[in-house]
Amino acid sequence: MFEQSCGRNKMRRSVEIPCDIVTRHIDKPLLYWATDLSSDGVWLETRFPMQTGENLVVCIKPPVWWPSRELMLFAEVVRSSSVVARSEQECGMGLVFTDITRHEQRALDGWLRGRPPRLPR
């Protein structure tokens, strides 16, 4: 389970938020969809996940709670699930945020409060 594998202790919430990803290999932002989010990390849906251990920048622009700018965070891929291993509905990658500030965590926790938890598939 993603929550146990990366030591997350925050409740994961179901979301549908577009995110831009920048890696050391590709400096042009790539669009992914976040479907599971906490102030510790995020699950991104993709048929072509990156390898575990890959470092990247994730840019999240939630529609309401962060009106002045996007949230730009360094993250590490801690789980990767591909088409070969799973059904297409479970393909993606789990990221843990490596530099989120307490202020950003509190703001994100506040925005997520009241949203439904992620349901097991």
Side-chain angles (χ1 to χ4, degrees):
M1 178 181 243
F2 176 52
E3 190 164 6
Q4 294 170 344
S5 68
C6 68
R8 289 171 54 162
N9 57 14
K10 305 281 177 125
M11 177 165 299
R12 298 181 294 166
R13 304 293 182 158
S14 289
V15 295
E16 284 190 30
I17 299 174
C19 298
D20 286 327
I21 301 296
V22 178
T23 71
R24 63 186 168 114
H25 304 290
I26 304 172
D27 60 355
K28 181 180 177 185
L30 302 171
L31 178 64
Y32 289 86
W33 283 91
T35 57
D36 172 335
L37 179 65
S38 80
S39 61
D40 291 331
V42 63
W43 176 262
L44 301 175
E45 295 285 327
T46 177
R47 294 180 62 193
F48 306 102
M50 295 173 198
Q51 292 184 336
T52 301
E54 181 79 29
N55 291 302
L56 46 87
V57 177
V58 59
C59 303
I60 303 171
K61 197 180 243 183
V64 177
W65 70 274
W66 210 265
S68 60
R69 63 178 173 87
E70 65 189 353
L71 185 58
M72 190 179 322
L73 300 166
F74 287 97
E76 179 182 346
V77 178
V78 293
R79 182 171 174 222
S80 183
S81 177
S82 65
V83 175
V84 175
R86 306 265 184 209
S87 73
E88 288 190 35
Q89 297 169 330
E90 294 182 11
C91 297
M93 56 188 171
L95 310 178
V96 63
F97 301 133
T98 58
D99 74 335
I100 191 166
T101 67
R102 288 180 191 249
H103 172 73
E104 291 167 332
Q105 280 186 325
R106 282 192 299 269
L108 191 51
D109 283 337
W111 181 75
L112 290 169
R113 190 173 299 118
R115 295 191 185 285
R118 179 188 172 275
L119 298 174
R121 294 185 181 187

